[in-house]
Amino acid sequence: MFKRYVAAAAGAIAMIASAASAATITGAGATFPAPVYAKWAEAYKAQTGTALNYQAIGSGGGIKQITASTVDFGATDKPLKPDDLATAGLVMFPTVIGGVVPVMNLPGVRAGQIKLTGAQLADIYRGVIKRWNDPLIAKTNAGVALPNLPITVVHRSDGSGTSFVFTSYLSMKAAHWASEVGANDSVKWPTGLGGKGNDGVAAMVKQTEGAIGYVEYAYAKQNSMTYALMQNKAGKFVTPQAANFRAAAANAKWSSAPGFYLLLLDQPGADAWPITAATFILVHAKQEDAAKGREVLSFFDWAYKNGDAAAASLDYVPLPADVKILIRASWKKVVGPDGKPVYH
Amino acid sequence: MTAAIESHEAAPARTAKGAVFDRTFEALCFGAATLLLTALGGLIVSLAIGGWPAFAKFGPRFFISSDWDPVQEVYGASGAIVGTLVSSALALLFALPLALGVAIFLVELCPVRLRRPIGTAVELLAGIPSIVYGMWGLFVFAPWFAHNVQLPIMTAAPPGSIWETITSGVPNGAGILAASLILAIMILPFIAATLRELLLTIPPAVRESAYGLGSNTFEVIRKVSLPYIRTGAVGAIMLGLGRALGETMAVTFIIGNSHGFPTSIFASGATIASTIANEFAEATGELHTASLIALGLVLFVITFAVLALARLMIGRQVNS
């Protein structure tokens, strides 16, 4: 009997010892970047032995968990304002870029044939433009045979960073939208149907002639959906593709955005896709365990160096090199109990 | 009797051990039962505490208003409450005749050879995960429903009539009616199985005397079997209703998810459960979270009331 206890105790000690040598970083939050974090984690563990345990519980959950310090980092699609970061004692930085793409189901209309402006999109989602052959849509689509179909608006029913980015864009481009609806991860939609997740929106769009919806870029691309060209700040109608998301990120003024609070909406540049957004990581500015803080930042440092190909293969857009330099510089703000930066 | 006492005396050690064992066993069972009760009580209390900010802020407006606006932080639950009640009631309306037919057929009419396969098939329906119903509903049922049910009804409605108003909507098959039909399929096995059990409780003599008086099958079922199980049947219906009220995933997929009062049977709506499933993960504001928890409490109270009523009805049937 005694022998068995000794064996069990020895086993437990061995387990604790091995846990200490192979550390685990825990994170929780946004579902949108979860596939790329998982892919990075796999490669990182193979190289360094440090495991990442990421729970895709949604941005809201991610913010709550990092505020309560139950995880080492939180992840959110909806950036926190600099004031909120300061109050919560958090540091925020972006990891990858994605975009939101309007998709449609119009008989006889191919991907990229329809051109829309932000104001038109807002009027469609407000229920003001009700038919596809409305003169307001025809204005930017000379030469396209617009069908006489009622427009069915499809939006996300679940609270989502995608909706946040989309409604932020509409708020930016249309004063009516900003005052009547506003921007959030779930809003009071003036009209239309709600689909659960990207696939719910896509299914409803595919099943309804005359429907318009919005999905994440990766989803639109992988499912070859009929997308619209959007007018950007330079007045050009651009295609939703990786290079154009990168253009939006490259032209953005990151250096003048405190806490990287930046929505990459309607950025300057001839190629910039107007509905682009980054997804973010949150860590505590004051780390109780300096070694742990260093491990978290080392993981993202490694991801910035080695993770671009993996991100691109999953149709995320990696950050421009100069933004990565800015982010590394911002990590000086993450300090240990002794007040010294944990990462150098 | 004496033999039993003797055998007890023959093994005193074992009896003492048995008594200890018995007491431990009782304590364990008592613990299990009270643990469950405590958990239930704790659940209600934590829902009430979590939802309190919403109740305190909006008061009765939380139940009356259908304005659900996360941007302005204004929350009114009446749209979701009405959506829940309407979709469940419609589901019951569709499921009940079918379930009754299934139960009567299985008990009174079915050839013995078919009894097991049909019974098993109905029970299998109950085992299908609700997410599967949701996906099937969205990808298979909704397009079929839009094309073969919704469009013909919408085009047949005379313009300007009341029919046009209550059948207006987007012809893609997602809405209150489609959700109710999916719900009906989901609750059918529960109602059918309970009704079958109830029909089996009728003493054969009762039924046989009715036949002996010269009644035909329909008359026996209508005048003897159904009145006999009446109260219990109401309980069975309530059980189905309880399940329909709380169903989440399947409804979320197909109800169209828009807040506010549904204006037609094809309109999209939302239920309490679908609203919570949709918004809880990303709810960041304190009031948003509180309102969703408050919604949970409302659903809990509605379901609890329905189940308590069912208990009462079934209990009365068993006693009588």
Side-chain angles (χ1 to χ4, degrees), chain A residues 230-320:
Chain A
M230 290 297 304
Q231 188 180 44
N232 63 15
K233 196 168 192 173
K236 297 254 167 50
F237 288 95
V238 288
T239 312
Q241 61 190 29
N244 296 350
F245 295 113
R246 201 170 303 128
N251 295 332
K253 294 236 177 320
W254 291 98
S255 49
S256 56
F260 293 102
Y261 180 81
L262 195 57
L263 301 170
L264 303 172
L265 300 170
D266 215 26
Q267 293 296 325
D271 296 328
W273 174 257
I275 326 176
T276 306
T279 184
F280 298 86
I281 294 294
L282 298 164
V283 292
H284 281 287
K286 232 189 171 69
Q287 296 283 331
E288 273 173 29
D289 179 356
K292 195 61 152 191
R294 190 177 311 119
E295 260 166 17
V296 172
L297 297 182
S298 301
F299 170 74
F300 287 105
D301 177 54
W302 176 92
Y304 290 144
K305 273 187 200 133
N306 310 295
D308 285 1
S313 74
L314 292 168
D315 291 316
Y316 296 90
V317 177
L319 292 170

Side-chain angles (χ1 to χ4, degrees), chain A residues 65-120:
Chain A
Q65 296 233 338
I66 185 66
T67 313
S69 299
T70 48
V71 288
D72 301 326
F73 70 88
T76 176
D77 290 336
K78 184 181 169 180
L80 294 185
K81 296 209 172 73
D83 291 350
D84 295 335
L85 284 177
T87 320
L90 296 172
V91 169
M92 182 174 78
F93 54 90
T95 50
V96 285
I97 297 160
V100 180
V101 177
V103 292
M104 301 161 307
N105 174 359
L106 281 180
V109 171
R110 290 189 311 277
Q113 270 193 324
I114 297 276
K115 296 173 182 163
L116 293 173
T117 66
Q120 283 169 342

Side-chain angles (χ1 to χ4, degrees), chain A residues 2-344:
Chain A
F2 178 71
K3 247 185 203 164
R4 212 189 291 162
Y5 280 126
V6 171
I13 290 166
M15 270 171 70
I16 293 164
S18 70
S21 69
T24 302
I25 313 168
T26 56
T31 46
F32 160 67
V36 69
Y37 293 169
K39 198 155 184 173
W40 284 346
E42 201 184 315
Y44 190 65
K45 181 154 200 254
Q47 275 189 25
T48 63
T50 304
L52 169 71
N53 175 7
Y54 183 74
Q55 297 170 324
I57 56 170
S59 300
I63 295 169
K64 277 177 208 145
Q65 296 233 338
I66 185 66
T67 313
S69 299
T70 48
V71 288
D72 301 326
F73 70 88
T76 176
D77 290 336
K78 184 181 169 180
L80 294 185
K81 296 209 172 73
D83 291 350
D84 295 335
L85 284 177
T87 320
L90 296 172
V91 169
M92 182 174 78
F93 54 90
T95 50
V96 285
I97 297 160
V100 180
V101 177
V103 292
M104 301 161 307
N105 174 359
L106 281 180
V109 171
R110 290 189 311 277
Q113 270 193 324
I114 297 276
K115 296 173 182 163
L116 293 173
T117 66
Q120 283 169 342
L121 203 57
D123 278 346
I124 290 173
Y125 268 81
R126 278 169 63 214
V128 175
I129 301 180
K130 290 181 180 346
R131 284 194 176 266
W132 281 105
N133 60 356
D134 192 292
L136 280 170
I137 297 184
K139 213 167 59 183
T140 52
N141 291 285
V144 182
L146 290 167
N148 180 19
L149 267 177
I151 299 178
T152 301
V153 168
V154 183
H155 52 78
R156 286 283 288 267
S157 66
D158 46 337
S160 152
T162 312
S163 291
F164 170 73
V165 171
F166 188 72
T167 52
S168 298
Y169 174 68
L170 296 186
S171 295
M172 198 176 217
K173 299 303 283 185
H176 284 296
W177 186 275
S179 62
E180 287 166 23
V181 186
N184 200 349
D185 34 28
S186 42
V187 300
K188 189 183 174 192
W189 297 97
T191 182
L193 292 169
K196 185 159 170 50
N198 283 302
D199 44 355
V201 169
M204 286 197 180
V205 169
K206 278 182 188 157
Q207 285 162 20
T208 316
E209 281 192 358
I212 185 167
Y214 59 91
V215 292
E216 277 156 18
Y217 161 65
Y219 194 87
K221 188 189 168 196
Q222 285 153 15
N223 293 280
S224 329
M225 301 196 66
T226 307
Y227 55 82
L229 303 186
M230 290 297 304
Q231 188 180 44
N232 63 15
K233 196 168 192 173
K236 297 254 167 50
F237 288 95
V238 288
T239 312
Q241 61 190 29
N244 296 350
F245 295 113
R246 201 170 303 128
N251 295 332
K253 294 236 177 320
W254 291 98
S255 49
S256 56
F260 293 102
Y261 180 81
L262 195 57
L263 301 170
L264 303 172
L265 300 170
D266 215 26
Q267 293 296 325
D271 296 328
W273 174 257
I275 326 176
T276 306
T279 184
F280 298 86
I281 294 294
L282 298 164
V283 292
H284 281 287
K286 232 189 171 69
Q287 296 283 331
E288 273 173 29
D289 179 356
K292 195 61 152 191
R294 190 177 311 119
E295 260 166 17
V296 172
L297 297 182
S298 301
F299 170 74
F300 287 105
D301 177 54
W302 176 92
Y304 290 144
K305 273 187 200 133
N306 310 295
D308 285 1
S313 74
L314 292 168
D315 291 316
Y316 296 90
V317 177
L319 292 170
D322 50 342
V323 179
K324 292 177 184 171
I325 294 169
L326 282 175
I327 292 169
R328 288 198 183 93
S330 79
W331 287 347
K332 279 202 303 286
K333 281 180 279 182
V334 182
V335 296
D338 54 355
K340 286 185 187 149
V342 298
Y343 177 86
H344 23 236

Side-chain angles (χ1 to χ4, degrees), chain A residues 31 57-61 63-64 78 152 155 157-161 179 181-188 192-196 199-200 203-204 207-208, chain B residues 66-72 138-140 142-143 170-172 174 249 252-259 268 277-284 288-289:
Chain A
T31 46
I57 56 170
S59 300
I63 295 169
K64 277 177 208 145
K78 184 181 169 180
T152 301
H155 52 78
S157 66
D158 46 337
S160 152
S179 62
V181 186
N184 200 349
D185 34 28
S186 42
V187 300
K188 189 183 174 192
L193 292 169
K196 185 159 170 50
D199 44 355
M204 286 197 180
Q207 285 162 20
T208 316
Chain B
S66 69
D67 201 21
W68 187 273
D69 188 340
V71 181
Q72 307 295 332
L138 180 61
F139 293 108
V140 182
V170 181
N172 74 346
M249 246 25 232
T252 307
F253 267 72
I254 201 171
I255 200 163
N257 299 304
S258 63
H259 295 296
S268 52
N278 273 323
E279 296 185 7
F280 199 76
E282 299 284 330
T284 35
H288 196 183
T289 316

